[in-house]
Amino acid sequence: MKSTYLVIVSIAITTVHAQSLLEATAPYPQLSDFNGLLSAFPDVATNLLTNVTSILNRQTILVPSNDAFENYRRQMGSNISSLPSSDIGDILNYHTLQGGLSSPDIEQPGGLISSTALADPKYANREVLNNGGQPPQVVYLSSSDTSAGAKIKVRQVNALNSFTVGSGAGSEIELEQTPGNWSGGLFYVVNGFLTLPMNQTITMTARNLTSFVLGLNRTNVTEGTNAAKGLTCVCPNNEAFASMGDLANSNGNLTDGLGSLLATVTRHGLTGSYYTTNFTDGDLIQSQNGYPILVTRKNGSIFLNDAQLVGTNFIANTGCVHALDRIMGFLNTTTNITTPANASIYRDVANIPTPTPLFTPSTESGGAIPTTNATGDILLPPSTASSTSPAAGPQTGSVTGAGAPKASATGASDAPTLLSQHLGLLISFSLILVTAVLLTVI
């Protein structure tokens, strides 16, 4: 009877035995190339090769399939394992998301911005936090088709009901919905490698926003744009810039007045990392040259003043890039703006008053990237983020560098996942003890 008890306990301990990511993915033939990569670079994959005993710092790993490795070989002409170990480390860190993200977490309407473990300043050089630290880079997870615009609609990628993960330059890969478990959290199979974020103008060029890039070059602000930490550029697309005639050409008005090219491109820069998840209906944002921008959400679309977002969440190393269908008009601030519905927009630059600050400039050194839970993991969508009165404007996001409105830090998003895991462990051990007691009695 005693030996039977020991056998049961031994089997139970083996069943709940924690597995490293390498051990957890080993049974899947379609992940053999990923396992080989981890084994070939143990120095940069240490956390994935060992068991994780703490449940407080859970992570979600995006595991590229063998098809992802083959696609990389075809596109680049070499194996990904030929990269320097530092680059492999950056790639693995970018595939490491903070928090244990369950399928319901990813299914949030409007998508989810999640922090990663990528902290190399070459790829993650956004805001400086109040404590002097540097926030890690992010990815955008969604089950909606936002690659062509900000209008939300359900996306069925294939029979597996995959989700998309947006990374550098707005590139997307697909993620299978059902996660696997390992000692450090969860893992999902993806069909490609995330793209490491590059600077603002490379990101714009990759999304064919070349007229805006030309405008930055013509006004000699390209270097400053790429160097600015925590910058969101909302770029009118090429068709919109065509309406400006020769403004971007050598004979255009480059610097004279509000209608100049310099004033136009500067008015389309926002200080802070603004993603679609923290554009809140009715918020007022201040542009880099001090003009107010009203956020309106209507019928699944997002508008900044009168311009609609038609390309969204293109991740850059210093922030984010979005595409607009037109050059933004000027918001009429002489009327009482209580809701987006009663706002009026000037299209003509004549007689536009000198802008006044929407709110007192902050003296803080950053903090533009919102976080949600205690470990600074996930950015909540607008429905769960803390909002600010449109009349007062966001508490942060001023031209002095405070950034975007912060989401709630209550930890509500990750708490159900951790609670269910704790309950699961308690139930498992309770069943073991009950079984042992019954056998002892018998």
Side-chain angles (χ1 to χ4, degrees), residues 55-60 97-100 183-186 377 418 421:
I55 62 174
L56 299 179
N57 298 315
R58 295 178 59 78
Q59 296 176 321
T60 298
L97 313 186
Q98 303 301 322
S183 63
L186 302 173
D377 298 0
L418 290 176
Q421 290 158 353

Side-chain angles (χ1 to χ4, degrees), residues 10 20 45 244 259 262 282 284 321 338 435:
S10 176
S20 68
M244 298 181 70
L262 177 61
L284 286 176
V321 172
T338 56
T435 302

Side-chain angles (χ1 to χ4, degrees), residues 172 192 197 208 215 218-219 322 328 356 379 411:
E172 292 183 341
N208 196 33
R218 292 285 301 129
T219 52
H322 304 282
M328 285 190 296
T356 56
L379 308 187

Side-chain angles (χ1 to χ4, degrees), residues 424-442:
L425 289 174
L426 288 174
I427 291 171
S428 298
F429 283 113
S430 296
L431 290 174
I432 293 170
L433 291 175
V434 170
T435 302
V437 170
L438 290 175
L439 288 175
T440 303
V441 173
I442 293 173

Side-chain angles (χ1 to χ4, degrees), residues 283-417:
D283 269 357
L284 286 176
I285 304 171
Q286 188 161 277
S287 70
Q288 284 193 312
N289 57 353
Y291 281 88
I293 299 170
L294 178 66
V295 179
T296 304
R297 285 181 172 265
K298 184 178 181 180
N299 298 327
S301 295
I302 301 175
F303 295 84
L304 301 181
N305 287 351
D306 58 339
Q308 181 181 351
L309 269 67
V310 292
T312 57
N313 300 317
F314 308 144
I315 307 298
N317 64 345
T318 58
C320 189
V321 172
H322 304 282
L324 299 175
D325 69 340
R326 66 182 66 188
I327 295 168
M328 285 190 296
F330 293 84
L331 183 66
N332 181 1
T333 56
T334 62
T335 60
N336 181 25
I337 304 170
T338 56
T339 66
N342 66 2
S344 59
I345 306 294
Y346 293 111
R347 291 301 305 171
D348 189 353
V349 299
N351 301 318
I352 298 296
T354 301
T356 56
L358 294 176
F359 39 88
T360 303
S362 170
T363 58
E364 297 179 356
S365 59
I369 183 68
T371 58
T372 59
N373 60 24
T375 57
D377 298 0
I378 309 162
L379 308 187
L380 296 179
S383 60
T384 53
S386 60
S387 59
T388 322
S389 168
Q395 294 298 316
T396 56
S398 72
V399 292
T400 57
K406 289 188 177 181
S408 168
T410 60
S413 176
D414 212 24
T417 302

Side-chain angles (χ1 to χ4, degrees), residues 189-275:
V189 177
V190 292
N191 71 344
F193 286 91
L194 298 175
T195 301
L196 295 173
M198 301 305 290
N199 67 31
Q200 292 274 340
T201 53
I202 291 177
T203 303
M204 295 172 195
T205 301
R207 307 313 304 181
N208 196 33
L209 299 170
T210 52
S211 291
F212 196 87
V213 175
L214 176 61
L216 296 175
N217 289 335
R218 292 285 301 129
T219 52
N220 297 317
V221 293
T222 299
E223 184 177 350
T225 299
N226 288 330
K229 293 184 178 182
L231 176 67
T232 297
C233 288
V234 287
C235 308
N237 59 23
N238 292 346
E239 292 77 10
F241 259 95
S243 67
M244 298 181 70
D246 65 351
L247 185 57
N249 298 323
S250 58
N251 295 326
N253 175 13
L254 298 183
T255 60
D256 185 17
L258 296 178
S260 69
L261 180 59
L262 177 61
T264 300
V265 295
T266 307
R267 190 161 50 87
H268 287 78
L270 315 177
T271 302
S273 295
Y274 284 86
Y275 308 99

